[in-house]
Protein backbone atom coordinates (compact mmCIF):
# COMPACT_ATOMS: atom_id res chain seq x y z
CA UNK A 1 0.00 0.00 0.00
CA UNK A 2 1.30 3.42 -0.83
CA UNK A 3 0.89 6.67 1.02
CA UNK A 4 -1.24 7.92 -1.86
CA UNK A 5 -3.73 5.14 -1.15
CA UNK A 6 -3.95 6.18 2.48
CA UNK A 7 -4.57 9.80 1.53
CA UNK A 8 -7.20 8.78 -1.02
CA UNK A 9 -8.98 6.49 1.43
CA UNK A 10 -9.10 9.21 4.05
CA UNK A 11 -10.68 11.77 1.75
CA UNK A 12 -12.93 9.70 -0.46
CA UNK A 13 -14.88 7.54 1.96
CA UNK A 14 -14.65 9.25 5.34
CA UNK A 15 -17.96 11.02 4.72
CA UNK A 16 -19.71 7.70 4.07
CA UNK A 17 -19.24 6.26 7.57
CA UNK A 18 -17.40 7.78 10.50
CA UNK A 19 -14.11 6.07 11.33
CA UNK A 20 -15.30 4.56 14.61
CA UNK A 21 -18.35 3.03 13.00
CA UNK A 22 -16.26 1.59 10.16
CA UNK A 23 -13.80 0.05 12.64
CA UNK A 24 -16.72 -1.44 14.60
CA UNK A 25 -18.06 -2.93 11.37
CA UNK A 26 -14.68 -4.44 10.49
CA UNK A 27 -14.35 -5.85 14.01
CA UNK A 28 -17.77 -7.47 13.74
CA UNK A 29 -17.15 -8.62 10.15
CA UNK A 30 -13.70 -10.23 10.54
CA UNK A 31 -11.93 -9.01 13.67
CA UNK A 32 -13.76 -10.99 16.33
CA UNK A 33 -13.34 -14.33 14.57
CA UNK A 34 -9.80 -13.58 13.46
CA UNK A 35 -8.64 -12.51 16.91
CA UNK A 36 -10.38 -15.44 18.59
CA UNK A 37 -8.51 -17.79 16.25
CA UNK A 38 -5.25 -15.90 16.84
CA UNK A 39 -5.52 -16.16 20.60
CA UNK A 40 -6.03 -19.92 20.17
CA UNK A 41 -3.01 -20.38 17.87
CA UNK A 42 0.36 -18.74 18.64
CA UNK A 43 1.56 -19.01 15.02
CA UNK A 44 -1.47 -17.07 13.80
CA UNK A 45 -1.07 -14.49 16.55
CA UNK A 46 2.54 -14.00 15.46
CA UNK A 47 1.39 -13.45 11.85
CA UNK A 48 -1.16 -10.89 12.92
CA UNK A 49 1.38 -9.16 15.18
CA UNK A 50 3.68 -8.82 12.16
CA UNK A 51 0.83 -7.35 10.13
CA UNK A 52 0.06 -4.94 12.98
CA UNK A 53 3.66 -3.75 13.02
CA UNK A 54 3.49 -3.16 9.27
CA UNK A 55 0.23 -1.21 9.66
CA UNK A 56 1.81 1.01 12.31
CA UNK A 57 4.86 1.56 10.09
CA UNK A 58 2.71 2.41 7.06
CA UNK A 59 0.64 4.89 9.04
CA UNK A 60 3.76 6.47 10.47
CA UNK A 61 5.37 6.69 7.02
CA UNK A 62 2.21 8.37 5.70
CA UNK A 63 2.27 10.91 8.53
CA UNK A 64 -0.84 9.40 10.08
CA UNK A 65 -1.42 8.28 13.65
CA UNK A 66 -2.96 5.09 14.97
CA UNK A 67 -6.18 6.87 15.79
CA UNK A 68 -9.60 5.81 14.52
CA UNK A 69 -9.34 7.94 11.38
CA UNK A 70 -5.91 6.63 10.40
CA UNK A 71 -6.83 3.00 11.04
CA UNK A 72 -10.16 3.28 9.24
CA UNK A 73 -8.51 4.92 6.22
CA UNK A 74 -5.95 2.13 6.11
CA UNK A 75 -8.61 -0.60 6.43
CA UNK A 76 -10.73 1.04 3.73
CA UNK A 77 -7.75 1.09 1.37
CA UNK A 78 -6.97 -2.58 2.06
CA UNK A 79 -10.63 -3.58 1.57
CA UNK A 80 -10.82 -1.62 -1.70
CA UNK A 81 -7.60 -3.22 -2.93
CA UNK A 82 -8.95 -6.66 -2.09
CA UNK A 83 -12.05 -5.96 -4.17
CA UNK A 84 -9.92 -4.76 -7.09
CA UNK A 85 -7.83 -7.94 -6.84
CA UNK A 86 -10.96 -10.09 -6.94
CA UNK A 87 -10.52 -11.24 -3.33
CA UNK A 88 -12.99 -9.15 -1.32
CA UNK A 89 -13.24 -9.49 2.43
CA UNK A 90 -15.87 -11.97 3.57
CA UNK A 91 -19.40 -10.68 3.90
CA UNK A 92 -20.72 -10.31 7.46
CA UNK A 93 -21.24 -13.73 9.00
CA UNK A 94 -18.92 -15.49 6.54
CA UNK A 95 -15.47 -14.96 8.06
CA UNK A 96 -13.42 -18.10 8.60
CA UNK A 97 -14.01 -19.79 11.93
CA UNK A 98 -11.46 -22.60 12.06
CA UNK A 99 -7.88 -21.79 13.00
CA UNK A 100 -6.65 -23.68 9.92
CA UNK A 101 -8.70 -21.38 7.66
CA UNK A 102 -7.19 -18.33 9.33
CA UNK A 103 -3.68 -19.73 8.97
CA UNK A 104 -4.34 -20.00 5.23
CA UNK A 105 -6.00 -16.57 4.98
CA UNK A 106 -4.63 -14.08 2.51
CA UNK A 107 -2.93 -10.75 3.05
CA UNK A 108 -6.01 -8.46 3.00
CA UNK A 109 -7.92 -10.47 5.57
CA UNK A 110 -4.99 -10.75 7.97
CA UNK A 111 -4.13 -7.08 7.51
CA UNK A 112 -7.67 -5.98 8.43
CA UNK A 113 -7.64 -8.25 11.48
CA UNK A 114 -4.38 -6.56 12.45
CA UNK A 115 -6.10 -3.17 12.13
CA UNK A 116 -8.83 -4.49 14.43
CA UNK A 117 -6.22 -5.68 16.92
CA UNK A 118 -4.59 -2.25 16.97
CA UNK A 119 -7.95 -0.52 17.34
CA UNK A 120 -8.81 -2.77 20.27
CA UNK A 121 -5.42 -2.23 21.94
CA UNK A 122 -5.79 1.56 21.51
CA UNK A 123 -9.31 1.44 23.08
CA UNK A 124 -10.87 2.75 19.88
CA UNK A 125 -13.67 0.18 19.81
Amino acid sequence: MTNENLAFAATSTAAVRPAGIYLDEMMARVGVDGLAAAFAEPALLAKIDQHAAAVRDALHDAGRTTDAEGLAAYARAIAAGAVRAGRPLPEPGFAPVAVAEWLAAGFPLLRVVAVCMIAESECLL
Side-chain angles (χ1 to χ4, degrees), residues 30-113:
V30 298
V32 171
D33 292 328
L35 292 173
F39 294 136
E41 174 55 52
L44 179 58
L45 183 57
K47 275 180 137 176
I48 293 173
D49 278 338
Q50 289 174 342
H51 279 277
V55 169
R56 286 186 178 96
D57 289 346
L59 289 171
H60 180 282
D61 292 346
R64 304 290 304 255
T65 61
T66 54
D67 61 2
E69 288 75 22
L71 289 169
Y74 189 92
R76 285 182 179 112
I78 293 294
V83 169
R84 285 191 303 275
R87 297 179 7 194
L89 297 176
E91 291 298 320
F94 291 94
V97 178
V99 171
E101 292 175 290
W102 281 103
L103 284 168
F107 172 89
L109 188 54
L110 294 176
R111 194 54 68 104
V112 173
V113 172

